[in-house]
């Protein structure tokens, strides 16, 4: 039977319907974000948050936006992968029309599973905020049935532990177990509130954060801290396996920041020979006293900034640059399909 114009028209109609259906399915996704500065997109108050000061946001959107980077962070890339806009930060939910449309970001930079040095809502309180919205029917069953969770925590828990227990790593394993007990409760709560797929980041190689590598002029990572990261990740993997086994499900998946950091760092090392890619683009003129964004009473800058942030993996002494996050996202991409299957 010859392929007529009628057949062609039917074929185009079917393809359009399939694509439109897929697009609609994607557009219904909601992303709920919990954690720290790796995923925070603007929850700190502008008056006190360094993420709201120059030169943060210099790459995107061209001014400070509450992100702890020169531009986009992990949340932005995950949202883009899911085919949605970046969800609004919880703090601004009443200031933006249709603020609930793509989910919501409850993450606060500097926070952790437990209380940290930052006087901001920890993960438990962030989940309380989410629970309140669910109880108020801001998000209904249909919203939650098409929802994804993103969790990035624990780095600040360890930073707080080290600040309070200088040079004492002997009990770090016990502290990891304390974190894990609470984290398991927290992520099970998020599932209980109706979120259908939840991605939890493994912790980054803490010994390679510029703040730790500065003492070696950014030439070496602190291996003891990296071992701590590995132990944390082993325990987290086991916890998530146990939670999935409860319902014989695959609700929880991991995003391996540890390997993704190293993969990305290897790419950036070529731009900064001898530094292992650890040197940040923006740093205070005097380490420990000034920071990226510090100014004196007259407004003069007390920090230096590199010529091209795109060539630096790290933006400041704690956080990846936008290009750094893009490289990390590229390494994580193969794991993300589990969020939508």
């Amino acid at each position: 039977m010859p392929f007529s114009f009628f057949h062609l028209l039917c074929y185009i109609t079917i393809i359009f319907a399939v694509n439109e259906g897929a697009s609609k399915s994607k557009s219904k996704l909601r992303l709920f974000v919990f954690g720290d500065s790796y995923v925070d997109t603007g929850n700190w108050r502008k008056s006190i948050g360094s993420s709201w000061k120059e030169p943060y946001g210099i790459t995107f959107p061209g001014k400070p936006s509450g992100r702890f980077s020169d531009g986009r962070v992990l949340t932005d890339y995950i949202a883009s992968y899911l085919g949605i806009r970046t969800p609004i930060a919880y703090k601004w939910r009443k200031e933006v029309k249709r603020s609930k449309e793509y989910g919501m970001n409850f993450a606060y930079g500097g926070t952790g599973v437990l209380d940290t040095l930052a006087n901001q809502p920890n993960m438990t309180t962030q989940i309380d905020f989410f629970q309140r919205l669910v109880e108020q029917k801001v998000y209904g069953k249909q919203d939650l049935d098409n929802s994804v969770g993103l969790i990035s925590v624990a780095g600040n828990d360890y930073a707080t532990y080290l600040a309070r227990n200088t040079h004492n790593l002997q009990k770090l394993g016990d502290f990891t177990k304390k974190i894990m007990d609470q984290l398991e409760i927290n992520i099970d709560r998020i599932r209980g509130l109706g979120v259908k797929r939840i991605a939890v980041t493994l912790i980054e190689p803490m010994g390679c954060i510029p703040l730790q590598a500065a003492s070696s002029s950014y030439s070496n990572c602190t291996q003891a801290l990296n071992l701590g990261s590995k132990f944390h990740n082993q325990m987290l993997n086991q916890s998530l396996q146990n939670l999935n086994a409860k319902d014989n499900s695959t609700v929880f998946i991991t995003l391996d920041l540890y390997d993704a950091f190293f993969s990305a760092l290897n790419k950036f090392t070529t731009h900064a020979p001898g530094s292992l890619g650890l040197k940040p683009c923006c740093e205070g003129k005097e380490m420990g006293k000034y920071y990226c964004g510090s100014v004196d009473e007259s407004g003069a800058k007390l920090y230096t900034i590199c010529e091209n942030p795109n060539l630096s993996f790290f933006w400041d002494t704690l956080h990846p640059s936008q290009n750094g996050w893009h490289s990390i996202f590229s390494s994580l991409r193969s794991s993300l399909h589990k969020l939508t299957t």
Side-chain angles (χ1 to χ4, degrees):
M1 184 177 179
F3 192 83
S4 67
F5 175 76
F6 174 75
H7 290 101
L8 178 62
L9 184 61
C10 288
Y11 177 77
I12 292 173
T13 302
I14 291 171
I15 293 297
F16 178 78
V18 169
N19 288 339
E20 184 180 39
S23 176
K24 285 182 178 178
S25 176
K26 269 193 171 184
S27 68
K28 291 179 181 178
L29 279 175
R30 305 287 193 276
L31 176 61
F32 298 107
V33 186
F34 307 86
D36 54 28
S37 54
Y38 280 6
V39 289
D40 184 1
T41 54
N43 272 315
W44 271 71
R45 293 208 315 271
K46 288 186 177 182
S47 58
I48 60 174
S50 62
S51 56
W52 288 104
K53 299 177 181 178
E54 294 181 348
Y56 287 83
I58 191 173
T59 301
F60 172 85
K63 61 181 181 180
S65 65
R67 292 167 172 83
F68 290 82
S69 184
D70 63 307
R72 296 172 178 85
V73 295
L74 184 59
T75 300
D76 299 297
Y77 289 108
I78 300 294
S80 178
Y81 175 86
L82 295 174
I84 61 175
R85 293 183 180 179
T86 299
I88 195 71
Y90 175 75
K91 179 176 176 56
W92 302 104
R93 68 195 185 283
K94 296 180 180 179
E95 311 295 327
V96 179
K97 292 182 179 179
R98 301 172 69 181
S99 61
K100 75 163 197 169
E101 187 171 0
Y102 303 106
M104 197 160 291
N105 190 335
F106 302 93
Y108 281 77
T111 66
V113 178
L114 309 172
D115 288 336
T116 64
L117 298 176
N119 186 24
Q120 298 293 323
N122 65 17
M123 187 182 179
T124 299
T125 304
Q126 293 172 26
I127 299 171
D128 290 342
F129 294 157
F130 176 48
Q131 181 173 342
R132 196 174 304 151
L133 295 181
V134 173
E135 291 172 346
Q136 293 171 350
K137 308 297 183 184
V138 173
Y139 293 104
K141 185 177 185 303
Q142 185 176 359
D143 297 321
L144 297 170
D145 283 345
N146 292 282
S147 64
V148 171
L150 173 62
I151 299 171
S152 169
V153 283
N156 294 309
D157 291 292
Y158 288 107
T160 299
Y161 173 87
L162 293 172
R164 293 172 176 168
N165 302 272
T166 308
H167 305 304
N168 181 9
L169 299 179
Q170 294 180 349
K171 296 184 178 180
L172 191 60
D174 292 336
F175 184 66
T176 298
K177 293 174 184 176
K178 183 179 180 181
I179 291 174
M180 215 54 58
D181 288 344
Q182 185 61 49
L183 181 55
E184 193 167 324
I185 292 170
N186 286 352
I187 57 183
D188 203 26
R189 266 187 76 195
I190 295 172
R191 171 169 65 174
L193 289 168
V195 179
K196 297 305 180 185
R197 287 283 189 275
I198 301 172
V200 186
T201 62
L202 299 185
I203 201 167
E204 71 280 0
M206 293 185 288
C208 296
I209 299 300
L211 191 63
Q212 299 296 335
S215 59
S216 68
S217 299
Y218 307 114
S219 61
N220 291 299
C221 298
T222 304
Q223 294 307 318
L225 289 179
N226 283 353
L227 288 175
S229 293
K230 287 184 177 181
F231 180 65
H232 171 97
N233 292 338
Q234 289 170 358
M235 291 197 68
L236 179 54
N237 274 318
Q238 187 60 57
S239 292
L240 295 182
Q241 288 174 20
N242 293 341
L243 286 170
N244 280 330
K246 275 187 178 181
D247 300 325
N248 191 27
S249 67
T250 54
V251 172
F252 303 103
I253 71 165
T254 58
L255 299 180
D256 192 348
L257 283 193
Y258 190 92
D259 283 350
F261 262 62
F262 275 119
S263 176
L265 281 168
N266 287 334
K267 297 176 184 176
F268 282 85
T269 300
T270 57
H271 300 301
S275 73
L276 298 179
L278 303 178
K279 183 174 175 57
C281 173
C282 184
E283 57 184 331
K285 290 183 176 180
E286 187 176 334
M287 179 63 69
K289 185 175 182 180
Y290 304 122
Y291 306 91
C292 179
S294 292
V295 294
D296 64 18
E297 294 178 355
S298 65
K301 297 176 182 177
L302 297 173
Y303 63 90
T304 60
I305 187 169
C306 65
E307 186 174 338
N308 187 355
N310 289 328
L311 300 182
S312 295
F313 174 74
F314 282 105
W315 163 245
D316 61 17
T317 56
L318 293 171
H319 308 100
S321 64
Q322 172 175 287
N323 213 18
W325 276 122
H326 183 267
S327 292
I328 291 168
F329 167 73
S330 297
S331 295
L332 298 175
R333 195 179 183 94
S334 61
S335 302
L336 294 175
H337 73 278
K338 299 175 186 176
L339 290 175
T340 56
T341 56

